[in-house]
Amino acid sequence: MDKRYSTWRIAATYIGTVVGAGFASGQEVLQFFGYFGIWGIVGLILATALFIFFGYAVLRLGHQLAAESHLEVMNRAAGNWIGKAVDAITTFFLFGATAVMAAGAGAIFSQEFHLPSWLGSSLMILLTLITVLAGINKVISSISLVAPVLVATVVGISILTISQNLPVLLANLSWSLVPRAAVPFWLLAALLYVSYNLILSIAVLAPLGARSRSENLLPGALLGGLGLGGGAMAIVLALLATVPAATAVEVPMLHIAGSFNPFLRVFYSAVLLAEIYTTAVSSLYGFTARIARQGGKGFRWLAIGAGIVALISSQFGFSRLVGTLFPLVGYAGLLLLGALFHSILRQFWSTSQIAPATRAAPAPARKPLLEGYTGKDGEEKN
């Protein structure tokens, strides 16, 4: 297997799988952190550390297992029964996230371009399908190339907003609107935010770890986690500097960008659509790769069918889907965090009990986790 992905590519792909319509619009960050005020900032610092820790855990397991999808990582980390439950939740959420991204595209088309929301959703699903059907390498390339530009734009607008509204920001640090938050407690909100985002990203992180050198995994997870935390922190501070006006719209960051000049508003709309695209691609690919083997007819037809159903589901509305689907999946995803944490402790304990001479011995060839698993070359691995 060609392990060519660098530290920067790993970090950029990690960021790209998480940032999407909810993140860059400000709606997701507002519901999980902004409404808690100063405690939301504390929660975001915790979430950043957890992104680094669990991102590395997934990359490392994916590397060790030569994973083709998230299923191998799930089974190794969580065991048979819990693994099946978490796998089912993950597969469902990957489909649901595709619908949320389509809804986000529709909201932008309606709010900014005064076009039918279904048109924006349809175009997003079509572009996503084209990329997914091109294969995992195209998926990773599209995400990692777009992500740095997207995060730089979000952070740039946020910093500009903060610098021009610093006195207001300092005054609003005591502001909060907890009843409108996705969940009632800031600590729980931080855990759920990491939980559902990890479920969203594991579909790409697991095979990415398998395609990367082991020495690049930890730096990649570190840079990716810091990028996610730093971007979200900039958004939270920008939102707090503009409340309550920013809380009254469906896409808060678009409102903030438009407060500077109309051109920036249009430009940020394009950035938002690009961010939606990266997450939609990773979600639809992960859902389809879990059920069908890439390259076969089943993969193509499943991707097309899932895209159509996601398009229909997107008509329920963007903010409603974010506020309902994400917390529910986050609760279920706590099983995944617990399983990954236990797996890391188990590996650390096992390694510490082995004598140095034994650890130095060559490791036996890895056997695929699933008997009869079919690799990309079409040969059955036994």
Side-chain angles (χ1 to χ4, degrees), residues 241-306:
T242 54
V243 294
T247 66
V249 293
E250 183 102 325
V251 187
M253 284 301 294
L254 198 53
H255 168 78
I256 291 174
S259 67
F260 292 102
N261 61 67
F263 171 78
L264 188 57
R265 189 182 186 102
V266 173
F267 175 73
Y268 196 78
S269 297
V271 169
L272 268 175
L273 289 171
E275 297 214 21
I276 291 170
Y277 162 74
T278 62
T279 303
V281 165
S282 64
S283 301
L284 184 59
Y285 174 82
F287 172 80
T288 310
R290 167 60 189 90
I291 300 174
R293 184 174 65 86
Q294 182 180 313
K297 286 185 177 180
F299 184 94
R300 291 192 295 271
W301 286 112
L302 178 60
I304 294 171

Side-chain angles (χ1 to χ4, degrees), residues 130-310:
I130 292 173
T131 307
V132 167
L133 294 178
I136 180 60
N137 290 329
K138 291 294 184 183
V139 169
I140 292 174
S141 295
S142 67
I143 293 172
S144 61
L145 290 176
V146 172
V149 178
L150 309 184
V151 173
T153 303
V154 172
V155 172
I157 291 177
S158 297
I159 291 175
L160 185 60
T161 303
I162 294 167
S163 64
Q164 293 192 0
N165 298 275
L166 188 57
V168 178
L169 170 61
L170 295 176
N172 284 345
L173 288 178
S174 60
W175 176 91
S176 66
L177 196 59
V178 176
R180 291 187 61 181
V183 292
F185 307 106
W186 67 268
L187 180 59
L188 180 60
L191 292 174
L192 295 184
Y193 183 74
V194 174
S195 175
Y196 76 74
N197 273 307
L198 191 68
I199 283 182
L200 188 64
S201 60
I202 192 174
V204 171
L205 288 184
L208 178 62
R211 290 166 169 79
S212 305
R213 293 184 175 87
S214 59
E215 61 268 23
N216 293 337
L217 301 181
L218 181 56
L222 179 63
L223 289 176
L226 290 175
L228 289 169
M233 183 66 73
I235 293 175
V236 167
L237 295 177
L239 291 172
L240 290 177
T242 54
V243 294
T247 66
V249 293
E250 183 102 325
V251 187
M253 284 301 294
L254 198 53
H255 168 78
I256 291 174
S259 67
F260 292 102
N261 61 67
F263 171 78
L264 188 57
R265 189 182 186 102
V266 173
F267 175 73
Y268 196 78
S269 297
V271 169
L272 268 175
L273 289 171
E275 297 214 21
I276 291 170
Y277 162 74
T278 62
T279 303
V281 165
S282 64
S283 301
L284 184 59
Y285 174 82
F287 172 80
T288 310
R290 167 60 189 90
I291 300 174
R293 184 174 65 86
Q294 182 180 313
K297 286 185 177 180
F299 184 94
R300 291 192 295 271
W301 286 112
L302 178 60
I304 294 171
I308 293 173
V309 177

Side-chain angles (χ1 to χ4, degrees), residues 58-135:
V58 173
L59 287 166
R60 180 180 176 183
L61 281 172
H63 178 83
Q64 291 174 339
L65 301 172
E68 290 288 333
S69 76
H70 64 265
L71 180 60
E72 294 96 321
V73 171
M74 293 290 190
N75 283 350
R76 174 60 63 88
N80 189 33
W81 292 104
I82 296 179
K84 286 181 178 178
V86 176
D87 174 50
I89 294 165
T90 301
T91 304
F92 164 75
F93 184 49
L94 289 171
F95 166 78
T98 306
V100 173
M101 296 304 110
I108 293 174
F109 267 60
S110 176
Q111 178 176 321
E112 297 306 310
F113 306 136
H114 306 291
L115 294 171
S117 60
W118 63 264
L119 178 61
S121 299
S122 300
L123 290 175
M124 182 56 63
I125 290 295
L126 178 61
L127 184 59
T128 300
L129 276 172
I130 292 173
T131 307
V132 167
L133 294 178

